[in-house]
Amino acid sequence: MGSGIAEVCAKAGYETFVREVDEKALDGGRRRIENSLSKAIERGKLTAADGEAIRKRLRFSSSFAEIFSSDLVIEAIVESLSAKCEVFEALDKSCAPHAIFCSNTSSLAIAEMAAATARPDRFAGLHFFNPVPVMKLVEVVRAIGTSEETVARVTAFARSLGKEPIAARDNSGFVVNRLLVPFLLDAIRAHEQGVGSLEDIDTGMKLGCAHPMGPFELLDYVGLDTVYAIAEIMFAEYREARFAPPPLLKRMVIAGRFGRKTGRGFYEYDERGDRRR
Ligand code: 3HC
């Protein structure tokens, strides 16, 4: 999601520094942004001059040094509390005292990450949705120590990106995943219990409830590894059966069937991510 977040920030006029773990990951992010910008220019949604200005506002690096002068930092790394805390602890020492830290986590507690820094009042959740350039929603998450001023500034920032912010409490899954994840897990359980084929369940939810994607299409799109990680975190927080990852999901993740990104999940995909069957 990091590349999508960087793209919308640069589009909104912000000087944007992108930090990735290594050159390979940086290349991947750069390519995704470039593809998205060229497609927008081809379709006449963006002028070539605006595209060029957006490219100039984006800087990529595998070092943290570039972001030490940023006013706002958005973390979108792997969904691991220890990895996130490690990054925030390091950034806290070198970033400006006024800088606000945000995490794009979908299920971890913002308060736990904030506690790894000396700025819990300037720490909030800012949760985007896939695909970031398209989805209008952003959840602004107030943790136990987040100040009113930080909530107001982060909410204004989300609006300046052209997004519609909603306020959410710092409970695992916030608003959307709290409702969406049990639905996706229940679709897997329904399929396991023989309620319907993958295609029929997907068609049912698309044509019966006007969902843009059926649950299995969405699971493959978001990534089964990601949904599995989120479900484990939510189950650990709430200890309710509806958040427990079903055995089939766990086995698919063990088998490396993560969905679109690995070419196989509930459905199969070609190299371009288009559905084979
Ligand atoms: N980047 C930029 N633009 C994109 C894009 C991307 N990755 N994917 C699609 N678009 C644009 C297209 O260019 C097109 O723009 P246009 O209408 O101006 O030409 C528009 O979006 C529609 O795309 P398509 O015609 O290719 O395809 P669809 O109409 O099928 O829409 C979709 C694709 C927007 C992905 C739609 O299927 C959808 O809304 N799906 C549901 C997505 C969803 O539920 N997201 C939330 C996931 S949960 C989450 O993210 C939380 C996390 O914590 C797990």
Side-chain angles (χ1 to χ4, degrees):
M1 291 176 91
S3 59
I5 296 171
E7 181 184 329
V8 296
C9 291
K11 266 191 188 149
Y14 294 103
E15 292 297 325
T16 307
F17 301 112
V18 181
R19 188 262 169 181
E20 260 291 6
V21 276
D22 55 31
E23 284 304 320
K24 190 169 166 244
L26 272 180
D27 276 351
R30 219 185 261 123
R31 206 176 39 245
R32 277 192 294 278
I33 296 176
E34 189 42 51
N35 286 346
S36 179
L37 293 179
S38 350
K39 225 186 252 170
I41 293 168
E42 258 169 48
R43 293 183 180 193
K45 286 199 270 178
L46 199 67
T47 66
D50 284 345
E52 204 37 48
I54 292 167
R55 287 184 191 102
K56 284 209 179 104
R57 285 196 285 271
L58 282 158
R59 297 231 283 277
F60 299 83
S61 171
S62 55
S63 136
F64 277 121
E66 290 256 51
I67 53 178
F68 292 159
S69 57
S70 296
D71 299 313
L72 185 105
V73 178
I74 306 171
E75 164 278 315
I77 67 165
V78 284
E79 200 67 348
S80 148
L81 184 62
S82 56
K84 286 179 191 284
C85 286
E86 204 177 293
V87 164
F88 280 123
E89 208 178 332
L91 286 173
D92 191 40
K93 296 193 177 85
S94 304
C95 287
H98 74 273
I100 292 178
F101 287 0
C102 293
S103 174
N104 179 51
T105 182
S106 41
S107 49
L108 293 166
I110 302 298
E112 286 200 66
M113 288 172 248
T117 72
R119 61 181 85 206
D121 54 323
R122 280 148 291 149
F123 205 118
L126 187 59
H127 183 219
F128 292 82
F129 292 82
N130 274 308
V132 178
V134 179
M135 305 307 279
K136 289 292 279 182
L137 187 75
V138 172
E139 290 176 314
V140 174
V141 186
R142 175 199 297 257
I144 196 157
T146 314
S147 71
E148 287 293 335
E149 192 194 338
T150 298
V151 171
R153 287 178 65 187
V154 172
T155 304
F157 172 73
R159 287 213 175 89
S160 75
L161 300 180
K163 301 292 182 197
E164 180 74 38
I166 59 169
R169 244 188 30 198
D170 186 22
N171 283 352
S172 185
F174 315 128
V175 172
V176 174
N177 279 339
R178 164 94 186 223
L179 300 174
L180 176 66
V181 172
F183 161 68
L184 295 176
L185 302 179
D186 217 23
I188 301 174
R189 283 189 273 267
H191 176 62
E192 276 181 312
Q193 289 161 11
V195 168
S197 67
L198 300 174
E199 289 84 358
D200 282 349
I201 294 175
D202 275 349
T203 302
M205 294 314 293
K206 283 191 287 188
L207 301 188
C209 296
H211 287 197
M213 285 177 169
F216 296 103
E217 291 171 331
L218 189 55
L219 279 156
D220 278 359
Y221 186 70
V222 171
L224 302 194
D225 54 333
T226 304
V227 175
Y228 179 67
I230 296 173
E232 285 281 45
I233 294 165
M234 293 182 79
F235 182 64
E237 169 128 332
Y238 298 113
R239 313 288 164 112
E240 288 176 35
R242 65 202 179 105
F243 298 109
L248 176 60
L249 177 62
K250 181 175 177 181
R251 274 146 192 79
M252 289 182 72
V253 172
I254 291 168
R257 295 185 190 178
F258 294 171
R260 261 185 211 213
K261 60 184 156 188
T262 55
R264 187 162 184 189
F266 286 102
Y267 299 109
E268 287 182 27
Y269 303 87
D270 62 22
E271 321 65 58
R272 290 177 44 223
D274 291 331
R275 183 105 160 253
R276 246 190 218 131
R277 66 191 169 95

